[in-house]
Amino acid sequence: MADAVSAVGGAEFRGAVTVREVGPTGMITLRGDLGSDAVAKAVKAATGLGAVPGEREIGLDGDKGAAWMSPDELLILVPYAEAEKAVTAMEKAPGKAHALVVNVSDARAHFRISGAGVREVLAKGAPVDLSPDAFGAGTIRRSRVGQVAAAFWLSDTDCFDLVCFRSVGEYMFTWLSTAGAKDSLPGYLS
Amino acid sequence: MLILTCPNCGVSGEETEFTPGGEAHLKRFGPGSDDEAFTGYLFERKNPKGVHFERWRHAYGCGKWFHAARCTVTLEVFGTYSAQTTEPPAHIIDAIKTKRPDWEGYE
């Protein structure tokens, strides 16, 4: 199989914050009844996490994770090379219960934005309260950034991970680079 | 600015995060119905000045549909509720009546 090529080729921008494309990331959509044992088993099989994330939560364990996307949808994060294996494990786990498992790794772009002003960079384009009191670790928010849909969460202090559709990956990188330009932050949230 | 709270995911977002879906609680008249009823279903919409019941979709968020009751004059939102209802629930009606005592009521 050909090597996976990410949306903007692992580009990096350094300004007031650092924007970096993480590169190919394994992402799996899991749809089903989130309260069911079947989904809990599938999450455990793919990520090793003992709990299904609650509303607007994300559970992370190293390079694996599970994020709440909607009342019937989770996003499973695994290393790119392990995605197919995880899909197979997840399809087996629920048994006869209904669940949908799809590998969407190649349909997405994954960015990491880090630096002291990272909350302000995202706040320029997302209609979300990004103050530390309102948006803490373990929260995932699906919204828009600039003009495109995206989901983001805190992966570390002053470090956001952001995923969007691959088709708008270049737009997202350009937007983040513009919003994160040097000397462009208002200094309101920090 | 219109701020809606999605009942499916609990997010309070401003209107650019949502997509409007027109009047709520329409009854469909399809094959077998008479022309007048079909015309009404297709074209006739309530448009009072004030309280509206609308469908909205959390397009940039969880992607789910829901209903909202709001005032088109002040943009005040009386409440949002499940899309799986055929008429406004009692607590929404009560909330509107409390704030708009002379509202003529639903239908």
Side-chain angles (χ1 to χ4, degrees):
Chain A
M1 205 178 95
D3 288 340
V5 176
S6 61
V8 292
E12 185 169 314
F13 166 83
R14 285 174 187 276
V17 295
T18 301
V19 181
R20 184 170 65 83
E21 196 201 15
V22 177
T25 306
M27 290 184 229
I28 300 159
T29 287
L30 169 61
R31 270 187 190 264
D33 177 359
L34 300 193
S36 67
D37 288 345
V39 165
K41 278 182 197 163
V43 169
K44 177 95 178 154
T47 64
L49 291 169
V52 176
E55 194 172 75
R56 302 192 305 281
E57 287 176 4
I58 181 167
L60 292 167
D61 181 16
D63 50 8
K64 293 181 177 177
W68 192 93
M69 297 297 268
S70 82
D72 59 357
E73 183 183 343
L74 294 179
L75 177 69
I76 305 296
L77 299 160
V78 292
Y80 185 81
E82 292 175 28
E84 279 305 322
K85 205 174 76 187
V87 166
T88 311
M90 287 166 74
E91 280 172 342
K92 278 187 195 148
K96 284 184 180 165
H98 175 73
L100 172 90
V101 180
V102 184
N103 182 0
V104 294
S105 308
D106 296 319
R108 302 275 167 84
H110 183 187
F111 297 96
R112 187 161 291 155
I113 313 118
S114 55
V118 64
R119 288 173 184 270
E120 295 195 319
V121 172
L122 278 180
K124 285 186 188 181
V128 177
D129 185 354
L130 283 155
S131 61
D133 294 340
F135 199 109
T139 303
I140 182 167
R141 182 68 148 81
R142 291 178 75 183
S143 184
R144 67 179 173 86
V145 172
Q147 297 183 40
V148 300
F152 47 82
W153 64 92
L154 270 175
S155 48
D156 202 346
T157 314
D158 290 334
C159 180
F160 272 91
D161 271 35
L162 180 148
V163 293
C164 65
F165 287 117
R166 182 197 180 99
S167 56
V168 293
E170 193 176 335
Y171 170 93
M172 184 61 78
F173 183 76
T174 311
W175 190 92
L176 289 170
S177 305
T178 310
K182 211 166 180 241
D183 300 327
S184 74
L185 302 182
Y188 183 75
L189 288 178
S190 52
Chain B
M1 183 180 285
L2 185 60
I3 293 179
L4 296 167
T5 302
C6 173
N8 300 305
C9 67
V11 162
S12 285
E14 46 98 3
E15 63 186 283
T16 62
E17 209 171 295
F18 301 89
T19 310
E23 186 181 325
H25 311 304
L26 293 179
K27 188 179 175 198
R28 184 172 184 271
F29 290 91
S33 58
D34 60 46
D35 286 356
E36 201 175 322
F38 187 58
T39 305
Y41 161 65
L42 277 185
F43 301 113
E44 288 164 14
R45 296 288 178 266
K46 291 176 198 159
N47 189 22
K49 183 179 179 184
V51 179
H52 276 226
F53 296 91
E54 296 173 323
R55 301 172 73 231
W56 285 85
R57 179 173 173 259
H58 196 184
Y60 282 101
C62 65
K64 304 291 182 196
W65 286 93
F66 61 93
H67 285 146
R70 70 174 179 111
C71 177
T72 52
V73 179
T74 62
L75 296 192
E76 178 178 6
V77 178
F78 303 110
T80 54
Y81 52 101
S82 164
Q84 283 72 41
T85 52
T86 52
E87 57 181 41
H91 72 274
I92 296 287
I93 298 284
D94 291 345
I96 299 169
K97 281 184 175 162
T98 310
K99 287 171 176 167
R100 297 283 186 280
D102 40 359
W103 176 55
E104 70 274 22
Y106 180 70
E107 291 190 318

